Amino acid sequence: MDSMPVNWEALDTLIIDFAKSENLIEDSVTCTSSSSPSSSPSSSSYHQRLIIRQIRRSLEVGDIDAATDLLRVHAPFILDDHRFLFRLQKQKFIELLRRGTAEARDSAIDCLRTVLAPCALDAYPEAYEEFKHVLLAFIYDKDDPTSLVAPEWSERRRFDIAGLISSVLRAHMHAYDPLFSMTLRYLISIHKGFCFRERMSSPISDLTERLLLEERDPPATPQESLYEVPPFDEVDIQALAHAVELTRQGAIDSLRFAKGDLFQAFQNELCRVRLDVSMLDELVREYCIYRGIVDSGLASSSVSGVRTLSEPLKVDQPDPGYSSSRSCSLEVDCETNKHSDGESSISNAHMNNSPEINADVVGTPRTDVEIRYSCEPTGNRDDCSTSETHRPENSRVLQRHRSHGTGERSKRKRWRGRYDKHDYVPDVQQELTATTLAIGTNLLGGQQGLENHSTVDPIGNRENMYETVLAMKELASRGMAAEVVEEVNGIDPEFFVQNPVLLFQLKQVEFLKLVSLGDHSSALRVACSHLGPLAANDPSLLKALKETLLALLRPNEDALGKGLPLHALATSLQVAIGRWLGIEEPQLMKIMRATLHTHNEWFKIQMCKDRFEGLLKIDSLKEMNTPLLSNAVSKSNADTSTNGSSQVTVSSSGRMVDDGSSPTQMSSRDVVCDENAILKVMEFLALPRADAIHLLAQYNGNAETVIQQIFA
């Protein structure tokens, strides 16, 4: 499956927003002081999500009283609604019987008389029958194989009611998950649907299967007063139904609950899809370290974590969809950013069983142990030799970066991890010992290729490589192409022999920079010495060369700023050099490339624009202004993204072209399919949009004929 160019700067913004919204990072300069969620711009939403999380966990462990206490304080409307109160009290009745004591049995009878029976009369039409049925729990024990109320005894009911209450609270409080979390859910869902439809294997299935869980929270049902509402636009119904895989009636109910707000209904439904939060946090942290957003801590710790994301996650929690990251690692002294040998600052966080939220406790930075990332080398390459010529730590760019780059490192965030007072905190001392042993063993194995050439500390080598790659990425993003080429050749002259397109792009930058400075003679020397020979060896670069030379005709324009996406080039350079040095790109980058590509392909099949790509910033992730590099980039990436509209003309090449007109035209058959006809076939036959268009094309765009033929 092809990949496609991604606007990594846009992704950085989404990732940083996610990490801040979830209180996962903090500024290094402030890490010595306790950070409270109240200092965050999104503290209100963060606090509300913590409340919902606490209520959910209380329900999942069967502590109905604790959940009710929290609801009474933070969401009393839930207890005022007899639909929810009845479900809560019915579960409380079961949990009391589950205890098996005489006292608990008396409490269960009291619950029946005082709360459950009155609620059953007006909760919802089926409530009274459910009330009579649950009374059988007095007769049939939870372990009785012939029990007629086995579903009531099932602990699955806890998770069902926890999911339902969470859905309602999330929608009522507008406490939606951070934008990146929703975007990732959506893109992975489309990716899986596309692969299933096209009968093709996914290159990221090992990640997506673990990250996106199959289960969904139950939908929040609208109140009876909302059942009589004006009919919704069929366009909205179909867009919602196919975006989040609902039936048509399910989409209508979701719109009713959201009072007709399509985008609110979409967010409500998307947040019902469950992610493995622990794995997501690890993906984000790996990406942040790779991109230089957070400090790696490799130089600050006596060991480096090496659990890669290709290995199964180990989460000590019954429900990974709502677990938080609890992996152990050595923490870094934030003030000095150093540890002396054998020193580490470890503290145990303690659970608090109070139902009240304490912002100071919740926001306390994690000081237990966190696993540090270290990507494995791709092989025992001679290029990774630590000789004087090839050792990254001898690079002048690294030395220069260290001499005045400590300020750059100090700007990086510190990873604090996900923590709230209901997280399980293991025995730190025991897990520290086990983690240290595992880390040491894996790290030595991962660095074996480097150790064949040197006795230098492998952790120091890893830190040097990270810093070298980040420093050259920074130089490239500033347009300092000549310096980058010089430094890379100093590390390994063979790199650009194997990556001529990157060399061509860097020389383009150098050429345009010289043109902007008015030094045309030097610019032409660069073109003659490098751009010309490279294009001669690779004809696909010839068009880009011609367009680059046109800059000579426009000396007063900012050719460098307009012609080249420096950030995109810097990222391509980072990935290539990192892989050359044995640092694989983060798994999240692979996920984003694959899912954005299938998002493009999916909506080519649908022959319409995604109604929700603006809300989820998917359009920003695809936004690549690459007028001079488009040919070169296409050698390693899929076709650039294509924008359409809800009404599009599809050419014979399959490209979507926005013409602003109302019909959708099938050029292959010269059949005009009216948008209303498409919606009519989708509604009556419950078909996806692409299938509806395909059928209309067979019957000259006549919806009535299609429907008659299907039912004939």
Side-chain angles (χ1 to χ4, degrees):
M1 182 182 293
D2 293 331
S3 60
M4 67 169 293
V6 178
N7 187 335
W8 300 114
E9 294 298 308
L11 182 59
D12 287 351
T13 301
L14 280 176
I15 291 288
I16 292 171
D17 176 72
F18 168 82
K20 287 182 176 179
S21 297
E22 294 291 67
N23 227 34
L24 297 174
I25 59 174
E26 59 188 12
D27 293 331
S28 295
V29 293
T30 61
C31 67
T32 54
S33 62
S34 179
S35 174
S36 169
S38 61
S39 63
S40 170
S42 57
S43 60
S44 177
S45 178
Y46 174 75
H47 189 73
Q48 289 171 337
R49 289 198 301 275
L50 285 184
I51 292 169
I52 295 172
R53 195 177 302 157
Q54 277 190 278
I55 292 170
R56 178 179 204 122
R57 289 174 180 169
S58 295
L59 292 172
E60 287 175 348
V61 299
D63 193 347
I64 310 301
D65 286 337
T68 302
D69 290 342
L70 282 168
L71 288 168
R72 188 172 292 110
V73 174
H74 300 288
F77 74 94
I78 291 285
L79 302 180
D80 293 336
D81 190 324
H82 281 196
R83 296 176 304 159
F84 304 126
L85 182 61
F86 174 75
R87 288 185 171 94
L88 287 168
Q89 294 302 320
K90 185 172 69 168
Q91 190 63 37
K92 179 181 177 179
F93 168 74
I94 291 294
E95 297 300 337
L96 288 170
L97 291 181
R98 198 190 303 275
R99 296 179 189 175
T101 65
E103 182 180 357
R105 191 180 187 87
D106 291 340
S107 298
I109 294 173
D110 185 63
C111 175
L112 281 175
R113 291 172 176 170
T114 59
V115 184
L116 195 56
C119 281
L121 297 176
D122 59 357
Y124 46 88
E126 303 85 4
Y128 191 67
E129 286 301 319
E130 291 181 14
F131 167 73
K132 291 189 292 183
H133 183 73
V134 81
L135 293 177
L136 295 174
F138 279 123
I139 301 173
Y140 296 100
D141 188 76
K142 60 182 178 180
D143 299 321
D144 189 341
T146 63
S147 174
L148 299 178
V149 285
E152 303 294 340
W153 282 113
S154 172
E155 292 188 0
R156 178 67 198 177
R157 283 298 173 94
R158 294 176 175 177
F159 291 91
D160 289 342
I161 191 170
L164 173 63
I165 298 299
S166 297
S167 295
V168 175
L169 289 173
R170 188 166 47 233
H172 181 81
M173 297 178 174
H174 296 278
Y176 299 116
D177 294 330
L179 188 60
F180 174 69
S181 177
M182 291 192 287
T183 301
L184 196 60
R185 286 177 170 100
Y186 184 59
L187 287 174
I188 292 177
S189 296
I190 289 176
H191 176 81
K192 294 174 74 173
F194 176 82
C195 292
F196 177 79
R197 177 187 173 89
E198 298 300 309
R199 294 187 176 91
M200 59 191 302
S201 60
S202 166
I204 56 172
S205 60
D206 59 323
L207 294 170
T208 57
E209 293 299 326
R210 288 185 285 135
L211 183 58
L212 191 71
L213 306 180
E214 292 295 331
E215 301 86 357
R216 293 190 183 193
D217 287 341
T221 54
Q223 296 179 2
E224 291 183 8
S225 59
L226 297 178
Y227 275 85
E228 296 299 328
V229 293
F232 302 113
D233 191 329
E234 189 64 31
V235 174
D236 290 348
I237 295 173
Q238 294 296 336
L240 180 62
H242 292 286
V244 288
E245 300 177 357
L246 295 175
T247 63
R248 184 174 182 276
Q249 186 58 50
I252 292 173
D253 289 342
S254 184
L255 285 167
R256 281 176 178 154
F257 184 82
K259 299 179 181 178
D261 188 325
L262 174 63
F263 294 107
Q264 183 178 334
F266 174 71
Q267 291 179 88
N268 290 342
E269 295 300 324
L270 203 55
C271 286
R272 287 177 51 213
V273 180
R274 293 164 57 186
L275 285 173
D276 185 327
V277 179
S278 294
M279 183 176 180
L280 176 59
D281 288 351
E282 293 195 40
L283 287 168
V284 168
R285 183 169 184 243
E286 182 191 33
Y287 178 87
C288 287
I289 290 174
Y290 186 87
R291 295 285 290 169
I293 297 170
V294 303
D295 188 48
S296 67
L298 288 173
S300 311
S301 176
S302 59
V303 290
S304 173
V306 293
R307 196 207 67 75
T308 63
L309 286 166
S310 60
E311 301 174 44
L313 287 170
K314 296 181 180 179
V315 181
D316 296 326
Q317 193 166 12
D319 185 11
Y322 299 96
S323 63
S324 57
S325 180
R326 292 191 206 75
S327 55
C328 284
S329 71
L330 286 178
E331 190 57 74
V332 184
D333 184 333
C334 308
E335 186 172 358
T336 64
N337 203 26
K338 293 180 180 179
H339 267 310
S340 60
D341 289 343
E343 289 181 349
S344 62
S345 177
I346 306 170
S347 66
N348 285 319
H350 299 282
M351 295 178 65
N352 188 328
N353 294 322
S354 169
E356 293 298 328
I357 290 279
N358 185 322
D360 293 332
V361 174
V362 171
T364 303
R366 252 186 107 147
T367 55
D368 56 329
V369 197
E370 296 176 359
I371 288 182
R372 299 296 186 190
Y373 277 94
S374 173
C375 301
E376 300 295 336
T378 55
N380 297 340
R381 304 178 58 100
D382 291 337
D383 325 305
C384 296
S385 167
T386 52
S387 66
E388 187 68 23
T389 303
H390 300 297
R391 276 168 59 179
E393 60 266 31
N394 292 326
S395 167
R396 288 193 298 275
V397 67
L398 177 57
Q399 295 170 5
R400 198 161 54 234
H401 186 65
R402 280 175 169 169
S403 62
H404 60 79
T406 52
E408 291 294 327
R409 285 195 65 171
S410 66
K411 292 178 183 177
R412 297 180 196 166
K413 310 296 183 182
R414 173 183 172 274
W415 187 267
R416 69 185 296 276
R418 187 182 297 268
Y419 170 68
D420 69 64
K421 65 182 182 178
H422 276 250
D423 276 347
Y424 167 72
V425 180
D427 186 324
V428 178
Q429 293 291 352
Q430 291 181 3
E431 297 222 4
L432 173 60
T433 303
T435 303
T436 304
L437 291 174
I439 284 171
T441 302
N442 292 333
L443 179 62
L444 292 175
Q447 295 292 336
Q448 190 174 10
L450 293 175
E451 289 181 340
N452 287 338
H453 303 280
S454 174
T455 58
V456 177
D457 175 21
I459 297 171
N461 287 336
R462 178 63 58 176
E463 173 71 6
N464 289 333
M465 286 190 288
Y466 264 111
E467 292 304 320
T468 298
V469 172
L470 288 172
M472 285 190 284
K473 169 179 169 285
E474 181 67 21
L475 289 177
S477 66
R478 294 177 182 175
M480 302 173 70
E483 291 82 353
V484 171
V485 173
E486 178 186 357
E487 297 296 344
V488 172
N489 284 331
I491 294 173
D492 193 339
E494 288 296 311
F495 174 79
F496 284 124
V497 175
Q498 301 297 325
N499 295 274
V501 174
L502 271 177
L503 179 60
F504 182 87
Q505 294 171 354
L506 287 166
K507 289 300 178 180
Q508 275 184 294
V509 173
E510 186 178 349
F511 174 87
L512 294 173
K513 189 174 182 179
L514 291 169
V515 170
S516 298
L517 294 174
D519 191 351
H520 292 176
S521 297
S522 298
L524 287 172
R525 278 198 298 271
V526 170
C528 293
S529 301
H530 299 283
L531 295 177
L534 287 168
N537 291 330
D538 187 347
S540 66
L541 299 175
L542 188 59
K543 181 180 178 182
L545 173 60
K546 294 176 181 178
E547 293 175 350
T548 303
L549 292 173
L550 288 176
L552 292 168
L553 306 179
R554 301 186 289 269
N556 295 325
E557 291 189 12
D558 182 12
L560 181 61
K562 293 183 178 180
L564 291 169
L566 293 178
H567 289 297
L569 174 57
T571 298
S572 298
L573 183 71
Q574 178 188 16
V575 171
I577 295 178
R579 187 176 290 124
W580 190 265
L581 295 176
I583 303 174
E584 284 296 319
E585 65 178 343
Q587 303 281 27
L588 191 57
M589 294 180 84
K590 299 175 183 178
I591 292 174
M592 296 308 296
R593 281 198 188 96
T595 56
L596 285 171
H597 169 73
T598 49
H599 181 272
N600 255 4
E601 298 304 309
W602 178 255
F603 282 95
K604 285 180 183 179
I605 294 174
Q606 302 300 314
M607 300 179 188
C608 66
K609 181 177 178 177
D610 184 358
R611 295 280 298 275
F612 307 105
E613 68 175 14
L615 174 70
L616 298 178
K617 304 298 182 185
I618 294 174
D619 51 353
S620 299
L621 293 172
K622 295 180 181 179
E623 195 173 63
M624 298 292 293
N625 298 316
T626 59
L628 295 182
L629 294 185
S630 57
N631 288 344
V633 170
S634 65
K635 288 175 63 62
S636 57
N637 297 295
D639 296 333
T640 55
S641 61
T642 51
N643 294 323
S645 66
S646 56
Q647 317 292 343
V648 295
T649 300
V650 182
S651 68
S652 57
S653 63
R655 181 175 59 88
M656 294 188 293
V657 183
D658 183 2
D659 64 354
S661 60
S662 58
T664 299
Q665 181 176 345
M666 298 290 294
S667 62
S668 59
R669 289 176 171 264
D670 294 324
V671 176
V672 175
C673 300
D674 181 73
E675 186 69 16
N676 290 328
I678 296 172
L679 292 172
K680 190 172 185 178
V681 172
M682 290 174 68
E683 176 185 356
F684 277 88
L685 302 181
L687 290 175
R689 182 181 176 89
D691 292 344
I693 294 174
H694 181 72
L695 282 174
L696 285 167
Q698 296 180 35
Y699 294 98
N700 299 317
N702 191 308
E704 286 75 13
T705 303
V706 170
I707 295 171
Q708 288 174 5
Q709 290 296 322
I710 294 297
F711 286 106

